[in-house]
Amino acid sequence: MAEYGEIKAESNNYITEDSEEDKGLIPDSLGLIVQELYQRGASDSDRKTREEIWESAWHAMRGEFPNTTSKAVDVARERGIYVNLTKRKVHEARTKLLSSTLQQGKVPFKLSPTRRPRFVAPDLLQTPEPYDEATNRAKNCEQRIRDILDETFYEDTLSKSINEMTLYGTGVTKSIVLKKVDYPLYQTVNRDPMLEMIEEQAESEMVPHVEWISVWDTFPSPGATGKSDLDWVIQRRFLSAQELRMMAIKSNGAIDPMLVESCIETGEGQTSMDTGGISPRRFNQGVEETKNFTILELWHRGLGKEDIEPYMEIPAKQEGEPIHMPVVITVLGSKVLRAMPNPFDGRIPYDFCYWQEQEDSIWGGGIYEAIRDDQDMMNFVYGMIVEGKTMSALPMAALNPNAFDASSDDFYEMYPGKIWRLKAGESVNDAFKSVIIPDVTGGLVELLKIIERNTDLASGQVPIGMGAGAQYQTKTATGMQILNENANKLTSGVVRSLNNMITANVQAVYHWLMADSKDVAIKGDFLCLAKSYDTFMAKEVTIQQVLQLIQVVGQVPEMRDRFNFEKLAVPLKAGLGLEIDGLIKSEEESAQDMQQAQAQMQEQQQQAAKLESDVYETKAVVDEKKAVAADIRKGIIQERLARI
């Protein structure tokens, strides 16, 4: 508490000076504490290093040259060549992760009753089958969560988090945040005022949703290496004056509108240049001119009660009770707009996902950090290739000036149709000589392939559309290493990290429904887990194993008769991620098809027997006619012989 005492002393001095000069609003001591924590988080050396990398990554995505000076960058800048390798790799990773994480465009998660529930509703025990009723309630709760995710566009939130995770290395989400959803209320000529009031109340509700937070606006406590050892997190928001007023209106009385209006009039919290790192997007889009008020929201695990007592109600102290309590504080400048206990039982509602997790930092490493040297080298190689092609393609000539009449010819100007005057006795072949600069881009092309291979190894992304068929992708140890690195990175690292973040997001919505919803049909002690990792494994591993098994069995004819290929339908469907409805035949449909096949076979056999009988009868008639004709012919012959 000594550090907070020093801040209080500074705030008291500031209050005295303010009262004497009569400038602005009197700062709050708690607001100054939040500002001091914000300055500490913004000036953290680890964050400063990360912000430099993030800024370079942001410019790389836009195809802009870095500010660093090097031969590679200078050559590429002179030629105006920028091969956006970062954007290509980030786009490939984002596409693969979205397809691996989502199942049929939906978030895969499952709610099921826990095996040993901590709490069982009394009405649940009165049902004939408690477990079946709990299973039905779990399904109802799962559908309710899916409705909330669809209404609040959770897929877009997940896409934004994946975008920053692949580029910067870290994606951040906040769950849950209450959002008021207003459904359309149409006004007609014959409307009833009472009915309109009822509809206005019924067609708007507070919905818990998951919010995407940019890494630029998230300031964790310095020294934290993960969410488990966070002391506090500060979220920064830039708002306009109108957005501040709307925030006070939607707070249901938690924020004083008059205080907000006073802050707007005096310019409290309005800064031309913030001390913390700011995303370059603000300077490129001009939003710093309109959204110039900085809101800080502090989530602290345990702030001193004597510091927060003037701004919120503190429960009565008991013996042995700690003097710190988890709080949420919202400040504008040095004025406290809202101070309240943490409604999530002390949990800090920020979840992280990583592209490449760092053991000694809360921030992860992104694709740009892994390939930034390759990005510079790629631009350099292309610049050198263009420069070499330019030098070898331009026509050049060497001439002997002593062989020409200097008084009438200009040796520095050449154009088609020009007439040259040579001195007497000089040969044209000796006066002119063509100069050919050799094309040296052959070695650069090989270097380009090496850089592409190294980029795939560093980013773990094989180019979409090429895969193992790329020119530099061979079946050697290097080629197999690329594929293994890609699979291992996506499997063990990124997809699992995304799965953990989605699980935390869905669990936050589930716990809020358990605490706030009045619907008894969704109440229960359920186990909530995301299935993104299982979906990825089914797509990436099962399909490969099934296809290899089919290939092996197909190459051994002796095994085909003893192998039941129908049993491969289910794992093959799971690996390809197809819908099961109508795709795989049921046992009844298989039996009907078998009966129809047997009936068709019997009918074909009967038709073949009938055809054979008809052929036999026809043959018998023909043979009989042949025999009669032979007898008649024999009688005629004998009659003629007798006459002779």
Side-chain angles (χ1 to χ4, degrees), residues 303-424:
L303 201 58
K305 291 185 178 181
E306 63 273 13
D307 296 324
I308 60 179
E309 191 171 7
Y311 305 95
M312 57 180 291
E313 295 182 0
I314 304 296
K317 294 183 178 180
Q318 300 178 1
E319 292 185 6
E321 185 180 4
I323 61 175
H324 296 79
M325 64 178 298
V327 292
V328 184
I329 302 170
T330 305
V331 299
L332 175 61
S334 59
K335 300 299 295 182
V336 177
L337 300 183
R338 177 172 53 193
M340 57 184 293
N342 190 331
F344 303 133
D345 196 18
R347 182 182 70 90
I348 295 181
Y350 295 92
D351 300 295
F352 300 84
C353 60
Y354 301 101
W355 173 259
Q356 189 173 2
E357 191 170 359
Q358 306 288 340
E359 293 79 5
D360 57 345
S361 174
I362 197 173
W363 307 112
I367 289 181
Y368 170 76
E369 186 178 0
I371 66 171
R372 52 182 173 178
D373 295 333
D374 297 325
Q375 174 78 74
D376 294 341
M377 285 300 298
M378 181 75 73
N379 296 327
F380 168 73
V381 169
Y382 272 101
M384 291 299 294
I385 289 176
V386 172
E387 187 171 0
K389 292 292 185 181
T390 304
M391 294 293 293
S392 62
L394 288 176
M396 297 183 185
L399 53 85
N400 182 12
N402 297 324
F404 299 92
D405 188 359
S407 61
S408 59
D409 289 331
D410 185 4
F411 306 115
Y412 300 100
E413 183 179 359
M414 299 180 64
Y415 54 87
K418 182 176 181 179
I419 299 176
W420 300 84
R421 295 185 180 182
L422 301 178
K423 294 181 179 180

Side-chain angles (χ1 to χ4, degrees), residues 457-526:
L457 288 171
S459 64
Q461 298 299 311
V462 179
I464 294 178
M466 295 184 181
Q471 296 180 358
Y472 55 88
Q473 187 83 314
T474 61
K475 298 301 180 181
T476 59
T478 303
M480 297 306 297
Q481 184 180 359
I482 294 176
L483 299 178
N484 293 334
E485 182 75 15
N486 179 28
N488 292 336
K489 182 180 288 293
L490 288 177
T491 302
S492 61
V494 184
V495 176
R496 188 181 293 275
S497 178
L498 274 174
N499 188 80
N500 295 335
M501 188 188 73
I502 295 174
T503 300
N505 296 155
V506 177
Q507 285 180 351
V509 179
Y510 158 71
H511 288 300
W512 181 264
L513 289 177
M514 293 298 103
D516 184 71
S517 178
K518 299 179 181 180
D519 189 2
V520 183
I522 65 173
K523 298 288 185 174
D525 192 0
F526 305 136

Side-chain angles (χ1 to χ4, degrees), residues 8-25:
K8 278 188 174 182
E10 295 177 1
S11 65
N12 292 334
N13 296 334
Y14 182 49
I15 292 173
T16 305
E17 296 175 0
D18 242 23
S19 59
E20 292 177 357
E21 300 180 5
D22 209 7
K23 294 181 180 179
L25 298 176

